[in-house]
Structures are given as structure tokens and as C-alpha cells.
Amino acid sequence: MIKSMKFLASLVFGAVIALPYGADANTEKNNDPTTRSDAVIFKIHDIEPVSKDGIVTGCDFTTTLYNRTAVNFRNFTINLKWNDVVDERFKFDKYAEAVMSKEDFKKIEKSIAEDVKTSSIDTSITINAFGSDKQVSLRSHVDNEKCYLLLNKADFTVTPCDIARTVEEKKGGEISAGQKECTNLFQFVSTNNPEYFGKFKRISQTEEAMQNEVIETQELSDIDSVIGKIVENLGISDSTLTNVN
């Protein structure tokens, strides 16, 4: 009976874990997700479960950051938290209690509590000497078997935050050296954002597309001007040839 219930739990888990991605993706799509031009953008990727004796005990992952701000950091710490979305959306123990007899449920209640725990993944990442317009990737580890949570959007704060200086030729007057909390300078890029799957650049994909559109429009305008000049010159040449004849 316990094995059957665990198998059912795994099936329910698989169905439920897919829900956040679809819902969030549709919402993000409608909002035309992009990244800020004035933020340190960062993402979590290359997630690998770490096993011992066939049991997942932790997760290795990479954090990649790109500093689009006008700020040079001495160091900062990103405190990340991924909530257990399965537990938030579905209480398996309540379901089991509803469909089973009291006697059978009592036999597996403790096992369910151990298998489906209410927990989150909490970790901190410290970066040193991070200048404006720079990119860095850092490999990290967290002791938690729920590696799938790292694919979700995380809650985060950035503190402490030691700012060395602000680049003078860029905007940044509101940022002061020695600031201890600077969460507002950072943006987490999750799998719901198309830019997660590409290479981070100095500007967002949206801004890059807009700039390319402006350049293309200008090039077409320049071509039209050149063609107009050619036509105008041909007209003058015809007139000259007529006068000669």
C-alpha cells in the first residue's frame, strides 16, 4: 500500500510541478518580458543533482551575472529563496486522508510526512570585485534534494552590498559608496524570460531589436536618397545630351 501511495504521489507531483511554468509563462508573455538596462541581471543554470548511494542529496548550479549598471562593487551577497511550489499548490496528505479509510491512512501518515516535506531552498552567493559592464559566472552547491525548484523564479535580496564607486560618465547619482542594501539594482532572470536562454548582452533583446529597427529604417531612407540622386542626375544627363545634339 505504501509503495502504491508513493507512486501516486510522484504522479501528482509531476502534474502539479508543470502548472507554475504554464501559468507564469502566459502572464510573462502578455507583459512582454525583458530585462532592465540599469540592473545587474543574473540567472541560475546548469543545474545538476548530486547523488549519494542513489539518493539525491544536493544540487550543483551556476550563477551568471552581467553588470549593466554604472556601479563598481567591492562585493555583494545575493540571498536566494525558492519556495516549494508543490506544497503551496497541493497538500497530498489531505488528499490521501480524504480517499483512504482512517485505519489505512494512519499506517502511512508518517511516511507521507517524511516524503512530502514543507520546505524551501535557501542559499547565498557572494561576488567580489564586480565592475560596470562586466560578466561573471560562479559554480555553487546547495544541500537540498529539490533541485527542480531552482528552475523557478526566486525571491531574493542583495545585502550586504559594498559599492566602491559609480562610473561618472553614466547615470548613477542616486547610488552612494558604502551602501549596505542594493536589491533594487538587481534583476533575476528566470526561465519564463526568453533572455534566459541566450547570451547576456549590454542591452536587452527588446532594446537591441528597437535599435536594429531604427538602423534598418535609416538605411532604407539612405538608399531612397541615393536612388533619388541617381534619377536626378540621369535627368540632368538626358538634358545635357539633348542640348548637345
Side-chain angles (χ1 to χ4, degrees):
M1 174 64 74
I2 293 178
K3 289 184 177 180
S4 298
M5 293 304 296
K6 286 184 177 180
F7 177 70
L8 180 58
S10 66
L11 290 178
V12 173
F13 164 80
V16 174
I17 192 62
L19 291 178
Y21 298 118
D24 290 348
N26 290 335
T27 302
E28 292 277 8
K29 185 175 181 180
N30 293 334
N31 292 335
D32 189 22
T34 187
T35 50
R36 288 163 45 197
S37 60
D38 61 346
V40 177
I41 57 176
F42 68 99
K43 64 181 178 180
I44 305 297
H45 57 102
D46 293 339
I47 303 162
E48 297 180 1
V50 177
S51 301
K52 183 177 181 180
D53 298 328
I55 299 175
V56 176
T57 59
C59 319
D60 289 337
F61 63 94
T62 298
T63 305
T64 293
L65 308 93
Y66 195 110
N67 186 0
R68 289 178 176 167
T69 74
V71 175
N72 290 323
F73 298 89
R74 288 192 183 91
N75 60 72
F76 56 84
T77 298
I78 303 178
N79 308 295
L80 293 155
K81 180 177 182 178
W82 289 269
N83 293 317
D84 189 339
V85 294
V86 174
D87 182 75
E88 290 176 357
R89 290 176 173 269
F90 188 80
K91 299 290 187 181
F92 182 74
D93 56 340
K94 297 299 182 183
Y95 171 78
E97 186 177 13
V99 299
M100 299 176 66
S101 65
K102 290 183 179 180
E103 293 77 13
D104 288 339
F105 178 74
K106 286 294 182 183
K107 294 177 183 178
I108 66 168
E109 184 176 11
K110 184 177 180 181
S111 176
I112 291 177
E114 292 175 351
D115 289 345
V116 188
K117 297 178 181 178
T118 301
S119 64
S120 62
I121 293 182
D122 299 84
T123 192
S124 295
I125 300 168
T126 299
I127 304 293
N128 296 308
F130 194 37
S132 180
D133 290 331
K134 300 298 182 182
Q135 178 170 296
V136 66
S137 292
L138 180 68
R139 195 68 176 162
S140 304
H141 175 85
V142 62
D143 291 325
N144 198 298
E145 74 281 5
K146 299 181 179 181
C147 300
Y148 57 84
L149 291 183
L150 299 180
L151 292 170
N152 291 344
K153 191 171 184 178
D155 295 325
F156 74 93
T157 58
V158 182
T159 180
C161 178
D162 189 354
I163 294 174
R165 65 185 179 88
T166 298
V167 181
E168 294 180 358
E169 62 269 21
K170 295 183 179 181
K171 295 180 180 178
E174 298 179 358
I175 306 301
S176 60
Q179 183 171 324
K180 299 301 181 184
E181 202 277 344
C182 54
T183 304
N184 62 316
L185 291 178
F186 290 72
Q187 180 183 5
F188 182 84
V189 181
S190 70
T191 54
N192 293 329
N193 191 320
E195 293 192 46
Y196 175 93
F197 302 98
K199 182 179 179 181
F200 283 161
K201 300 180 180 180
R202 295 185 63 180
I203 59 175
S204 70
Q205 291 180 0
T206 300
E207 290 175 306
E208 185 177 36
M210 291 175 63
Q211 289 185 8
N212 290 338
E213 185 176 352
V214 170
I215 293 173
E216 184 179 353
T217 301
Q218 183 60 48
E219 288 177 345
L220 290 174
S221 177
D222 292 342
I223 291 173
D224 288 341
S225 297
V226 171
I227 292 175
K229 288 293 184 181
I230 292 173
V231 171
E232 182 180 345
N233 290 335
L234 286 174
I236 294 175
S237 298
D238 289 344
S239 175
T240 302
L241 288 173
T242 300
N243 293 333
V244 170
N245 292 333

